[in-house]
Amino acid sequence: EENGHQNKKLKSNADEEDAEDQNKRLPKRKIVLLMAYSGKGYHGMQRNVGSSQFKTIEDDLVSALVQSGCIPENHGEDMKKMSFQRCARTDKGVSAAGQIVSLKVRLIDDILEKINNHLPSHIRILGLKRVTGGFNSKNKCDARTYSYMLPTFAFAHKDHDVQEEVYRLDKETLEKVNKLLACYKGTHNFHNFTSQKGPRDPSAKRYIMEMYCGEPFVRENIEFAVIKVKGQSFMMHQIRKMIGLVIAIVKGYAAESIIERSWGEEKVDVPKAPGLGLVLERVHFEKYNRRFGNDGLHEPLEWTEEEEKIAVFKEQYIYPTIINTEREEKSMANWLNTLSIHDFNSSAVGMQANNKNSKNSSDLEGSDGCDDDSD
């Protein structure tokens, strides 16, 4: 019996070694992976090599790639060896339903299943496509779409509306929100919506294609709404500040004229909405698709077949995390209490004192990490 058991063990070890040798002989191919994840508890997407106390999504991904046998171990330690590139560096606590990473892998059998077997359930690889050898998911991306899910009491007027979860958004207020969000469309100087960019920095100019708030819906007795924004690229904190400023106007803390003023050279105090609720929805490769999508060798980077899987993942992992965290930690309610600290009429001098006061309350949220192209 013992010998039989030992023989079985030796055979399974030999099988594993055979599979590994076979994997090593497979040519490496450039692919993209479609990823979805719930970002709670992670310090963003991007791996911080040598900083193991801050766990990132890429730490878990690279580990699964090595364990599944589609990349050698040394490629996990030096990601340049597999030409790894993520499309967006989502930051602390931010989730994604349609993140794209490009890399070179060995195309092993049942590759998606094998990678997913080594990932926690709140990180999934939902699709894979072959791409051109020189493809880089960050550089080839023409646009990114984010969503921001928030409780609608964020839009309750500070003086004459109930501020709690019983609040329900009326049609007129939703129209006002959408009128303000539409002001962001086009190319503007967003230096006031990020840190470390001056008004004359050319990279502070960003192009927004669309921005709107959808119809409200109730989950667990709280009414929520989802804001969608599509832009060429975003800087760190930009989306959260764009939303924060609209909330400040709708609540009655700031005049509508502040949006126009924020694009000028003057420093404007723009509040930053909480990180919870921000989701990278999808990334767009329109130019690449036109050039290579129908060349007979490559597929267009569209994910219509995966739409259902994406929707199921959001319902299972992303929305419940946002709703439950909002209920337990009240991040939006606590942040709304800090709006009165901001001086929306101030110049740069008056702002410094306010920034010190509000730092403790607003900076704990972590950044949204929409800093795809930030320097």
Side-chain angles (χ1 to χ4, degrees):
E1 250 182 50
E2 246 176 57
N3 281 347
H5 182 68
Q6 212 163 357
N7 289 342
K8 262 187 193 169
K9 203 173 174 187
L10 286 169
K11 189 176 182 308
S12 74
N13 284 349
D15 287 348
E16 268 176 41
E17 277 169 31
D18 279 354
E20 213 169 294
D21 286 344
Q22 232 172 334
N23 285 352
K24 280 177 187 167
R25 284 196 292 274
L26 286 170
K28 291 192 185 72
R29 294 284 179 257
K30 180 62 90 66
I31 60 152
V32 294
L33 296 175
L34 171 69
M35 283 184 81
Y37 51 84
S38 170
K40 192 181 180 188
Y42 287 87
H43 277 256
M45 171 75 182
Q46 191 170 358
R47 202 168 186 208
N48 306 307
V49 180
S51 174
S52 56
Q53 82 255 41
F54 296 125
K55 196 181 185 194
T56 68
I57 300 289
E58 280 174 21
D59 288 328
D60 281 356
L61 174 63
V62 169
S63 166
L65 292 169
V66 171
Q67 287 177 70
S68 62
C70 57
I71 63 164
E73 206 161 325
N74 65 340
H75 286 203
E77 287 149 28
D78 182 0
M79 291 164 79
K80 283 197 193 94
K81 285 185 172 157
M82 57 170 160
S83 307
F84 186 93
Q85 186 57 261
R86 87 279 312 155
C87 199
R89 288 189 304 203
T90 56
D91 219 343
K92 185 182 171 187
V94 175
S95 297
Q99 170 75 280
I100 298 286
V101 298
S102 54
L103 67 158
K104 279 184 180 161
V105 296
R106 303 169 179 140
L107 283 175
I108 59 174
D109 291 337
D110 307 317
I111 182 168
L112 289 193
E113 193 186 332
K114 283 174 182 164
I115 298 170
N116 280 326
N117 284 345
H118 294 286
L119 283 169
S121 58
H122 56 265
I123 303 177
R124 291 289 93 180
I125 306 298
L126 302 178
L128 176 152
K129 289 185 194 284
R130 286 276 304 275
V131 284
T132 56
F135 184 87
N136 174 313
S137 62
K138 183 183 163 190
N139 298 347
K140 297 284 181 212
C141 177
D142 333 286
R144 294 142 175 102
T145 297
Y146 281 84
S147 68
Y148 188 85
M149 184 173 167
L150 76 172
T152 58
F153 63 76
F155 297 125
H157 196 282
K158 66 181 173 70
D159 299 328
H160 43 74
D161 283 332
V162 59
Q163 300 296 306
E164 288 96 50
E165 294 168 2
V166 291
Y167 175 83
R168 296 294 178 259
L169 187 65
D170 58 56
K171 199 163 164 269
E172 291 72 29
T173 309
L174 180 58
E175 278 170 11
K176 184 176 184 181
V177 168
N178 274 318
K179 192 183 107 188
L180 292 166
L181 292 173
C183 295
Y184 288 122
K185 288 203 285 192
T187 302
H188 301 287
N189 186 336
F190 285 100
H191 74 97
N192 273 308
F193 294 79
T194 188
S195 50
Q196 297 154 343
K197 291 240 188 262
R200 298 189 183 177
D201 187 333
S203 67
K205 284 203 167 119
R206 299 288 157 137
Y207 174 51
I208 306 298
M209 295 152 186
E210 62 178 4
M211 193 166 188
Y212 63 91
C213 182
E215 290 292 325
F217 53 92
V218 175
R219 292 282 172 96
E220 303 199 19
N221 301 323
I222 307 176
E223 188 180 66
F224 286 89
V226 174
I227 293 171
K228 285 260 177 85
V229 55
K230 181 181 180 184
Q232 215 165 37
S233 60
F234 299 95
M235 298 175 290
M236 196 164 187
H237 302 158
Q238 185 185 335
I239 295 173
R240 286 168 58 193
K241 284 187 169 243
M242 289 163 79
I243 291 166
L245 195 57
V246 166
I247 290 172
I249 295 166
V250 177
K251 286 195 88 67
Y253 287 103
E256 285 187 32
S257 58
I258 194 169
I259 295 184
E260 289 283 334
R261 191 154 61 89
S262 71
W263 295 325
E265 293 207 355
E266 179 196 348
K267 189 88 179 113
V268 174
D269 187 1
V270 178
K272 181 176 71 186
L276 179 71
L278 191 68
V279 179
L280 174 64
E281 285 286 335
R282 60 170 54 209
V283 286
H284 307 265
F285 298 95
E286 282 140 27
K287 274 189 211 138
Y288 173 87
N289 287 345
R290 279 199 297 274
R291 184 154 177 214
F292 298 106
N294 300 303
D295 66 357
L297 297 169
H298 305 96
E299 301 168 83
L301 296 182
E302 299 284 354
W303 305 95
T304 38
E305 284 171 33
E306 287 76 15
E307 289 291 350
E308 202 176 316
K309 283 194 236 170
I310 293 170
V312 168
F313 185 88
K314 289 202 296 201
E315 286 295 336
Q316 221 171 341
Y317 294 99
I318 295 178
Y319 295 152
T321 300
I322 293 171
I323 293 160
N324 296 336
T325 308
E326 184 56 57
R327 284 185 75 101
E328 288 159 25
E329 298 175 15
K330 303 206 177 302
S331 64
M332 181 56 77
N334 293 337
W335 175 78
L336 291 170
N337 291 334
T338 70
L339 283 177
S340 57
I341 297 166
H342 291 268
D343 181 356
F344 295 103
N345 302 311
S346 68
S347 62
V349 181
M351 274 180 61
Q352 285 162 3
N354 283 330
N355 284 345
K356 276 180 190 159
N357 292 341
S358 63
K359 208 168 188 60
N360 299 332
S361 50
S362 64
D363 281 4
L364 291 172
E365 299 298 343
S367 63
D368 60 28
C370 308
D371 51 345
D372 307 313
D373 297 336
S374 64
D375 305 322

